[in-house]
Amino acid sequence: MFSQHCMTLLVLIPTVLILLGTEGSTEIVKATTCQYQNVTYTARQTFKPDPCTFCKCPRHGGEARCAVMDCKWEPHCLHFATDPGVCCPTCLRYGCLHSDGKVYEVGSVVSRSNCTKCYCPESGGRTVCEVTQCSRPRCVDHVVREGSCCPSCPNGHNCQYKGHIIPTNKILDIDRRRCRCKRLKLSSGTSLFASCRMKLYWRAKH
């Protein structure tokens, strides 16, 4: 999966020498041409042996200097098209590359758990994960039911004092104390705590 944004690499083609013959003598001079894949090019001539390679023959000939295009990888591309005359493929439809190595369609749910949902946004690209934020349970005997994310209170709201569970609508006598639940506002939400006072005993006068 690629785009048309490319980087440049340098490739050197071996020097070509031409043997020139004169009457009664033979001499070797530097080539004024370049040869690439059995094709001869003149000095200062530019040429493209393929859509991804750009070459130029130096002014004195010899080694052709070539730059090869390196197509940028498009990790979120779902479908791309290739053109024989174009170096890099063109992405036609984008999706989302997830951590499992798969590319998903936009709008599709990639993964889901009790507390987390990951999906591919309409714009494609990276997947987006939403995590459920649970409020503090207002009971001490809360449970998390199968398939649920946040804890619930099956026995209603309550608090606790010395191991005794106190429902919010009741007052219990515990160790000569009269106890009940009171609400306490916290930054994370409202919580319940046990408030207990000593019981007063009056002896009747005779």
Side-chain angles (χ1 to χ4, degrees):
M1 301 176 186
F2 306 89
S3 71
Q4 294 183 350
H5 302 285
C6 307
M7 297 184 296
T8 302
L9 299 177
L10 181 63
V11 177
L12 296 180
I13 310 301
T15 304
V16 178
L17 299 180
I18 297 180
L19 182 66
L20 300 178
T22 58
E23 185 177 355
S25 64
T26 302
E27 61 178 333
I28 298 177
V29 298
K30 289 185 178 180
T32 56
T33 60
C34 300
Q35 192 173 24
Y36 184 86
Q37 295 181 349
N38 297 323
V39 179
T40 301
Y41 301 92
T42 60
R44 297 183 179 181
Q45 182 180 357
T46 59
F47 57 95
K48 289 182 63 177
D50 58 69
C52 291
T53 306
F54 295 86
C55 299
K56 182 177 182 179
C57 185
R59 62 178 181 174
H60 297 301
E63 297 178 348
R65 292 176 173 82
C66 298
V68 180
M69 297 180 66
D70 184 15
C71 299
K72 182 181 178 181
W73 182 46
E74 290 284 3
H76 303 293
C77 187
L78 271 171
H79 180 66
F80 59 91
T82 57
D83 187 335
V86 179
C87 176
C88 299
T90 301
C91 185
L92 301 180
R93 189 169 79 255
Y94 284 94
C96 296
L97 177 66
H98 194 49
S99 57
D100 59 4
K102 297 180 181 179
V103 181
Y104 292 84
E105 295 276 0
V106 294
S108 62
V109 176
V110 176
S111 64
R112 186 194 299 269
S113 63
N114 292 343
C115 294
T116 306
K117 173 186 174 183
C118 297
Y119 63 93
C120 180
E122 294 298 328
S123 59
R126 293 187 177 182
T127 54
V128 177
C129 294
E130 296 177 347
V131 180
T132 302
Q133 300 295 329
C134 298
S135 59
R136 181 188 295 270
R138 297 182 184 180
C139 60
V140 295
D141 55 349
H142 55 81
V143 296
V144 178
R145 300 184 185 278
E146 184 177 356
S148 300
C149 172
C150 299
S152 60
C153 299
N155 301 314
H157 296 171
N158 54 53
C159 60
Q160 182 175 257
Y161 179 73
K162 291 187 175 181
H164 298 274
I165 295 178
I166 308 170
T168 54
N169 58 349
K170 290 186 178 181
I171 297 176
L172 298 184
D173 292 336
I174 305 171
D175 292 342
R176 297 183 180 182
R177 293 176 182 269
R178 181 151 290 181
C179 301
R180 62 173 179 163
C181 294
K182 283 191 175 181
R183 298 180 184 274
L184 177 65
K185 290 185 177 181
L186 304 173
S187 58
S188 58
T190 303
S191 182
L192 296 174
F193 72 100
S195 176
C196 300
R197 292 184 178 182
M198 291 291 297
K199 293 176 63 175
L200 298 178
Y201 294 91
W202 298 89
R203 181 175 298 177
K205 293 183 179 180
H206 297 284

